[in-house]
Each structure stands twice: as C-alpha cells, then as structure tokens.
Amino acid sequence: HTLRLIGDTKLDVAHIKAIIDSNPFYCGRSIRGIPILSPSSVLNPMIPILISSFIAQKSIAIYSKEILGLENELLLLYPET
C-alpha cells in the first residue's frame, strides 16, 4: 500500500525520511531509496508520522502512542470511524 502511494500520489515528492514497519521481514530494506525501520528506531519526536494503513490505522495510532510512547504528530490518511 505504501509503495503504491509513494508511486501514484504526491507522496513521491514529500520529504519522507523513513518508512516504519513492525514486520521484521521489511526492516532493513528500502522502498525507492527510503529506508524501512522498526518502530523502535523512531527517535525524533519532531518528525510527524504518516500512517498509510487503511485497515490498521487506528490500532497503529494506539500502538504508537500508548505502547511505544511516541510523541510524534500522527498524520492519518483516512477518516476515523
């Protein structure tokens, strides 16, 4: 989903620093030169996090704030239901 968004939308010109994924299969790889990191790699609270999952957007937001304790602004692509 994220790969398609980067290729098919204005995200291709955004200043994306990294892609965060909890799946260890993807961590350490890259998409179009953008590194894929684990959630524990998020160290800068000043960089907003864009959640690009339609199905898991709410659970990712909760996990980010309540479990990981991240203070980053969360940017949501889909209306909350």
Side-chain angles (χ1 to χ4, degrees):
H1 184 255
T2 301
L3 178 61
R4 187 174 64 238
L5 288 175
I6 291 172
D8 295 344
T9 68
K10 298 267 185 206
L11 285 179
D12 66 338
V13 296
H15 299 287
I16 298 172
K17 304 290 184 201
I19 296 168
I20 308 301
D21 200 308
S22 61
N23 185 333
F25 177 78
Y26 297 114
C27 294
R29 297 175 181 225
S30 66
I31 295 176
R32 297 188 180 207
I34 302 167
I36 302 173
L37 307 174
S38 70
S40 63
S41 299
V42 178
L43 300 175
N44 186 339
M46 300 304 294
I47 297 176
I49 296 173
L50 172 68
I51 299 176
S52 70
S53 174
F54 175 74
I55 295 171
Q57 175 177 267
K58 186 174 183 175
S59 61
I60 291 170
I62 291 169
Y63 179 80
S64 298
K65 295 292 184 182
E66 295 181 11
I67 305 299
L68 295 177
L70 298 178
E71 297 179 8
N72 303 66
E73 174 186 7
L74 299 179
L75 306 174
L76 308 178
L77 287 180
Y78 305 102
E80 293 188 64
T81 57

